[in-house]
Amino acid sequence: MKRLYHRVKILVFTIGWIGLLLGVTSNRGHAQQRPIFSQYMFNGLVLNPAYAGNQQQWVVSLVHRDQWVNVEGAPKTQSLVTHTALENRPMGIGLLVSRDQIGIHDDYSIYGSYAYKIKLLVGTLSLGLQGGFNYTQSNFELLRRFNLNDPSLTGVQTRFSPNFGTGAFYSNSKSYAGISVPYLLNNDVYNSADVLSEARERRYYFITGGHVFTLNPSIKLMPSTLIRYQEGQPVNMDLNANVFFQDVINLGASYRSGDSMIALFEIILNRNLSFGYTYDHTISRISRNTDGTHEFMLSYRLSIGNSKCHSYF
């Protein structure tokens, strides 16, 4: 009983701590957004550092996302995501490396993650931290400029931005729920002495959840959701539904509020390897200028101890 009481206290403290973080806001204007992914429900480390080491596996995922095809300067993102549980220890570690290209800007990021796991009566609660940096290079010489003497639009500018974040993630064999603030610092967008600006990066807050329903021995259904909030912007929500056939084929559909309808396909190639593809059909105003968004993900999973390689999230 004392052990259970201690764990409940940790849980209550964690919820209060995360709630306090969610209450921290700012009144300044926002700037660039972080990369958005459509297969995050199977690649949770891109949203929440507490996901590191989930399901007692070592996971390596490669993701390529080509957003808003045919729009000049539209985002293109490549990322390497890897994380693992530590055998016989209630811990997980992870690494997220990415390149995000938007117009004349190349943004490189490296973030390490650590998660501590607490066994509950049903499932596991993980508390996570991450830290790292972004390195941004902006080549303003590629712009068509009207004022060639504007110091804010001249030459190649670079910016180094350290950051850190936190999150909590609960999961069992059928359900998961998470809350995270992966980037806590509101760094300056410009670091040039020639540019006077109050533009800041703004925090993202993520709440995720999902549950797997067994319809029959061959078919399973997993509805899930993501609530995404960036300070100074309206709340955004994803509604997802995935259907698993024989634990080999996964077909899914998502609605991203005010932005896109998404179709997903995933195939388990063998006990370790899987391939996923999503097509985002844009429904916002930009839809008349783009053929949509393509995202590809290749994942390799290796079990640790007696765990199974296949998991639903």
Side-chain angles (χ1 to χ4, degrees), residues 40-74:
Y40 54 81
M41 67 285 291
F42 311 115
N43 194 23
L45 197 68
V46 298
L47 300 180
N48 193 336
Y51 188 82
N54 187 51
Q55 300 284 337
Q56 292 295 309
Q57 299 172 354
W58 174 54
V59 182
V60 180
S61 297
L62 298 173
V63 181
H64 174 79
R65 181 175 174 85
D66 192 355
Q67 188 165 330
W68 300 332
V69 174
N70 295 334
V71 175
E72 185 179 1

Side-chain angles (χ1 to χ4, degrees), residues 211-226:
H211 181 80
V212 177
F213 296 92
T214 300
L215 304 183
N216 63 49
S218 300
I219 301 176
K220 297 178 177 65
L221 169 68
M222 187 182 79
S224 63
T225 187
L226 165 65

Side-chain angles (χ1 to χ4, degrees), residues 43-246:
N43 194 23
L45 197 68
V46 298
L47 300 180
N48 193 336
Y51 188 82
N54 187 51
Q55 300 284 337
Q56 292 295 309
Q57 299 172 354
W58 174 54
V59 182
V60 180
S61 297
L62 298 173
V63 181
H64 174 79
R65 181 175 174 85
D66 192 355
Q67 188 165 330
W68 300 332
V69 174
N70 295 334
V71 175
E72 185 179 1
K76 290 181 173 59
T77 304
Q78 298 85 38
S79 69
L80 166 67
V81 184
T82 183
H83 63 99
T84 183
L86 301 183
E87 191 171 6
N88 300 322
R89 295 185 181 183
M91 303 174 189
I93 56 174
L95 180 67
L96 172 60
V97 181
S98 68
R99 174 181 182 248
D100 193 32
Q101 183 181 23
I102 306 176
I104 64 169
H105 309 286
D106 277 306
D107 186 68
Y108 302 88
S109 65
I110 300 177
Y111 283 86
S113 301
Y114 169 83
Y116 181 78
K117 303 179 183 303
I118 304 167
K119 286 290 186 181
L120 303 177
L121 291 177
V122 178
T124 301
L125 174 68
S126 298
L127 308 179
L129 295 172
Q130 77 172 16
F133 64 89
N134 286 70
Y135 176 80
T136 306
Q137 185 177 73
S138 303
N139 187 357
F140 291 98
E141 299 301 323
L142 298 177
L143 293 175
R144 293 187 292 269
R145 293 170 291 171
F146 295 100
N147 182 3
L148 299 180
N149 298 317
D150 188 340
S152 65
L153 301 175
T154 302
V156 178
Q157 298 182 13
T158 60
R159 182 167 59 95
F160 177 81
S161 304
N163 217 317
F164 69 97
T166 185
F169 187 82
Y170 168 83
S171 66
N172 56 40
S173 61
K174 296 293 185 181
S175 303
Y176 73 93
I179 183 170
S180 62
V181 192
Y183 307 99
L184 281 167
L185 300 182
N186 289 341
N187 290 310
D188 294 342
V189 171
Y190 294 98
N191 61 358
S192 172
D194 297 323
V195 179
L196 180 62
S197 174
E198 292 189 355
R200 300 287 185 271
E201 296 177 351
R202 303 304 298 269
R203 296 185 189 93
Y204 272 99
Y205 305 90
F206 298 108
I207 299 175
T208 57
H211 181 80
V212 177
F213 296 92
T214 300
L215 304 183
N216 63 49
S218 300
I219 301 176
K220 297 178 177 65
L221 169 68
M222 187 182 79
S224 63
T225 187
L226 165 65
I227 299 173
R228 180 190 301 106
Y229 171 66
Q230 184 187 20
E231 292 175 352
Q233 295 293 303
V235 175
N236 185 273
M237 177 180 290
D238 289 10
L239 299 175
N240 315 304
N242 293 86
V243 181
F244 302 89
F245 299 92
Q246 298 285 355

